[in-house]
Amino acid sequence: MNISVSIRRLINQPDNNLKAIASITLDDKFVIRFVKLFKKVDSDGFWIGCPGYKGKHGRGFINTSHPITSEFREEIDDAVINAYYEAIRGLEELV
C-alpha cells in the first residue's frame, strides 16, 4: 500500500506537545485528515493521534478511524514522523 503524508501545519510552541497536523492518503484513493503528531511527555519519541471526537458522559476520546493491526500502525507512524522531519528540514533550508 502506498502511504502519502502531507504535513498541513507545524506547531512550534515549546510548551505544546502537539507538533504537527497531517493528512494521510492511501493508494491515492482514500484520505484521512486531521492526524495529529504529539511529542511523548515521558520520552523522546512521538505518538500519532487519529481523528476522533470527545465521547459523551466522560467516555474519553473516540477515534473515527485508526489502523487495525500493529504492523499497519507502525507503517502509518513511520510515514507521519518521516514527513514531519522532512517538513522541518525544508524550513531549515529556507533560513
Side-chain angles (χ1 to χ4, degrees):
M1 176 176 291
N2 180 34
I3 301 171
S4 168
V5 178
S6 175
I7 299 296
R8 298 296 183 185
R9 183 174 175 201
L10 290 169
I11 292 89
N12 186 17
Q13 299 171 348
D15 60 333
N16 192 344
N17 291 337
L18 178 61
K19 297 301 174 188
I21 298 174
S23 293
I24 300 172
T25 304
L26 306 174
D27 283 340
D28 293 324
K29 296 177 183 176
F30 190 81
V31 67
I32 305 167
R33 297 179 198 261
F34 302 107
V35 175
K36 296 177 182 177
L37 177 70
F38 293 93
K39 177 140 179 51
K40 290 183 180 178
V41 175
D42 56 353
S43 70
D44 291 333
F46 294 98
W47 65 275
I48 310 302
C50 291
Y53 60 95
K54 290 182 181 179
K56 293 182 180 180
H57 312 294
R59 297 189 74 196
F61 193 79
I62 300 168
N63 289 330
T64 55
S65 61
H66 58 86
I68 294 173
T69 66
S70 58
E71 293 84 10
F72 192 58
R73 161 132 340 250
E74 189 173 320
E75 286 182 55
I76 294 288
D77 289 358
D78 290 346
V80 172
I81 292 167
N82 288 337
Y84 171 73
Y85 283 129
E86 286 179 26
I88 295 293
R89 278 192 296 275
L91 285 178
E92 289 172 349
E93 290 174 5
L94 293 175
V95 177

